[in-house]
């Protein structure tokens, strides 16, 4: 399983970037997952960065969409996806789930990420008891798989 970068580490990287006069973006598809896993408010995790990019479809129940947040001049220069030749749904149909996902409290999806993390942990623990199952981190299950060759 992936582990989020700690806030002290993110701050350290931002300080190095600042000394080098280099931008310090925070580009994480699962930005809100990282904040929840670290027990932080999203604004705390974003604070050391110049800008933040995150995906609305990674755990936030949106069909598509990523957002770039930062200073106005940075956002104005940010690359835009190229138009496709196929027809797109009206933008409001795609924006509405994003607005719901980013609401504060139980009306939004961010608070639910802690529940998703607990469910994933419970599933991983249950699977680890099965023969031959190995975790993504390389830890074997309690019972090694029997050889059938």
């Amino acid at each position: 399983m992936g582990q989020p970068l700690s806030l002290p580490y993110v701050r350290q990287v931002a300080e190095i970037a600042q000394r080098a006069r280099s931008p310090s973006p925070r580009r994480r598809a699962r930005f809100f997952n990282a904040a929840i896993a670290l027990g932080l408010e999203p604004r705390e995790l974003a604070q050391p960065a110049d800008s933040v990019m995150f995906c609305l479809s990674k755990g936030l129940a949106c069909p598509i969409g990523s957002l770039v947040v930062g200073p106005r001049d940075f956002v104005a220069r940010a690359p835009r996806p190229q138009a496709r030749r196929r027809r797109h749904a009206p933008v409001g149909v795609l924006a509405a789930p994003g607005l719901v996902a980013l609401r504060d409290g139980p009306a939004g999806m961010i608070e639910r990420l802690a529940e998703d993390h607990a469910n994933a942990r419970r599933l991983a623990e249950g699977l680890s008891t099965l023969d031959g199952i190995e975790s993504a981190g390389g830890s074997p299950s309690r019972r090694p798989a029997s050889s059938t060759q």
Side-chain angles (χ1 to χ4, degrees), residues 27-141:
R27 293 188 180 114
R28 299 295 305 173
R30 291 178 166 80
F31 174 79
F32 291 100
N33 291 69
I36 295 296
L38 293 169
L40 299 171
E41 289 293 321
R43 74 175 57 90
E44 292 175 273
L45 190 55
Q47 186 277 326
D50 303 81
S51 61
V52 177
M53 180 179 172
F54 56 88
C55 185
L56 293 171
S57 65
K58 303 292 192 261
L60 297 177
C62 293
I64 64 169
S66 291
L67 296 178
V68 176
V69 182
R72 185 180 302 256
D73 64 324
F74 174 82
V75 172
R77 292 188 323 265
R80 306 285 192 276
Q82 293 185 358
R84 307 261 189 236
R85 291 184 184 192
R86 64 179 188 211
R87 291 175 50 124
H88 287 283
V91 75
V93 172
L94 297 175
L99 293 173
V100 170
L102 295 174
R103 284 186 184 150
D104 287 331
M109 298 303 292
I110 297 169
E111 279 188 11
R112 284 206 60 249
L113 291 173
E115 181 182 336
D116 290 349
H117 290 192
N119 287 338
R121 185 169 290 110
R122 190 170 68 234
L123 176 62
E125 288 168 357
L127 289 173
S128 73
T129 65
L130 301 175
D131 289 340
I133 299 294
E134 190 174 301
S135 77
S139 302
S141 68

